[in-house]
Amino acid sequence: MEDRRIGVFICYCGGNISDYVEVEKVRAAVENEPGVVLAKTQMFACSDAAQDEMISDIKEKGLDGIVVASCSPKLHLYTFRAMSLRAGLNPFRYTQSNIREQCSWAHRDGGPFATEKAIRIVRAGIARARLSEPLATMRIETTPKVLVLGAGVAGLMASLTLADIGLPVFLVEKEPEVGGWTCKWGGMFPQGNGSDLVEGLLKKVKQREDITLFTRAEIIERTGSVGDFTAKIRVADGSVVSLEVGAIIVATGFDTYRPAEGEFGYGREGVWTLPEVKEWLAGNEGPLAVDGRPVESVAYIYCVGSRQPKDSELERPNLYCSRYCCSSALHTALQIHERNPEVHQFHLYRDMRSYGKYELLYEEASRKGSMFFRFENDAPPEILAESRRHIVRAKGQLEGDEVLDIPADLVVLVTGMVPRQNDALINVLKLPVGTDGFFNEIHPKLRPVETVMDGVFIVGASQGPKTLAESVASSLAGVSKSAALLKKGYVDLDPYIAMVNAERCVWCGKCLEACPYGAIEKSVLEGKEIASVIPSLCKGGGACVPVCPEDAIELKGYTSEEITAAIDALIEQVAAPVP
Amino acid sequence: MARVNTDFIDEVRRSDGFDATACMHCGQCTAICPMGLDLLPRRLFFYVGAGLEDKVIENLETIFSCLLCRLCEENCPRDVHIAEDVRFLRNYINRKVHKLARI
Ligand code: SF4
Ligand code: SF4
Ligand code: SF4
């Protein structure tokens, strides 16, 4: 171990570190650690000049491991890995010690403690570096084909665009027809009609030889991993086809909220949800009538099934705003107004969230005579029956708490979006689900369509409430992510994966239960049943390591030996107390 | 409890003289009005829009208190023709309550 040749580079971060940590003292305290042949400080370790210096040091001094003591690896792990590679050093023999986020920034109150802590952190890094071994990334050849689940507008657009890029697509739809909700909802803002839109897309899809559409079909099994999946699809005639794909795009959409019987009078004739009203409007052209009675007055109740209060009695209240419903209800009001300008329309809302261009709908509806009343969450409107009509009793918040009785022939419950109940799919794809029941992305801003399952992308309203335009934007994001993955032809996976010590393993199956990625399987080695790791599925999360009663599982790059050495170095006394 | 009377709404709509549809109930007008009356002018518009004819008639004093100074109008972010609308309401009351012919 003593013959290791380790270089240590400690960064000032232009004051971010050196204002609180005495960097030169840290250098002096670690330069004689076993295995260290060089210890330097740098103003900005990530700068080109500093990296060039590291590269020549690695080459000239023949370093076989380095420690960079700087910021969080989240920022520069890949910077210094790439640098190591350029210097001819195995990138997994570089260790980053975080003395900024975990030290200088955390101890801005001054005092010698920050410097002492930095010394401990760097020593721990050196202790790990001493044990580091050259590791190799795993290269997987990718299959340049994509499976798209769900043939609503998001799925159709994803398929067409993938085909444009030159990636063949298998498009799988559960229903007999494509087009999802858009198909049923008639007119759209600012122009066009949902069923025409879908018809146009379907026509294009059918013209493409590189898109294979399966309707009344479902995914029943998925094996393999990023770049190299096998999906089993049960198709319309009951038979099962097996497809090889490199990526999977989930565009399974949303469901509409169904009010409980009696919720705001739901269940009575003429008390309909917004989607029901849209289908009704799209499906008839004559004068508007409910139950034979002409519609003279319409009342809308907003936020039904969305933005439910946290402390409500519901088991899992929908806390989120469904985004589309305010605008969609306004659009519906304008359609009704167009059909009959005499109709009175009353909107009982909590907040009017007709954001962006949808504000024009609000403007137009109010100019055309729609009346808007804001109600408070704890005083929702009530629906009372009156001979073949409804009375909506509401306390308008901006109207001096005046209680209004609004006669209405049609009450529209402006219902929001809810996640589709699709446990089978969640199971097959191992998709993570958020507290709201929609699929969960990795990062809401920077990785909005990626999931913890590499190569499986969630797009459209399957990820959360969206308008059609937002859904399509998200589906195209899924397309570019798939293309970025598959066009390269291969993926390199980190080598930090679990490994099983076959001698110790007694195949109790505890690791199998613990692994959230399904990366453990049973295998037989010389007649003995043992656990084995599927390298392409293992993400190095390490959930298996602590549950193994035989200590038979280790994580490459994070072995018990390395971690213990790092901890020992951390707790070791810092010799000369820093003045 | 006040019942929305759509006939009243229709009557006002047909007359073409009243238009507060753009009002977003921000209350600037009431805040700035030198008369300092609760209902003037925003709440009146609400009564008309919601078809609360009784409320309009009940408050004819308020309607006639307006100075037509247009201070509110100058400051209305939605360009509601407030003074015009108040005029309309006076006219309406003259006809309905005082039974005067339309001038
Ligand atoms: S979009 Fe409007 S109606 Fe829908 S949940 Fe949000 S605020 Fe409520
Ligand atoms: S200032 Fe204009 S928009 Fe605001 S409440 Fe008065 S009339 Fe309405
Ligand atoms: S015009 Fe009438 S309502 Fe407007 S500020 Fe003057 S007095 Fe008040």
Side-chain angles (χ1 to χ4, degrees), chain B residues 22-29 42 45 75-78 80 82:
Chain B
C23 171
M24 58 179 185
H25 297 280
C26 67
Q28 292 256 31
C29 49
R42 181 186 71 89
F45 296 164
N75 288 282
C76 170
R78 302 276 292 172
V80 176
I82 302 177

Side-chain angles (χ1 to χ4, degrees), chain B residues 33-35 40-41 66-72 82:
Chain B
C33 172
M35 297 307 294
L40 195 64
C66 169
L67 305 170
L68 299 178
C69 67
R70 295 184 191 257
L71 214 65
C72 51
I82 302 177

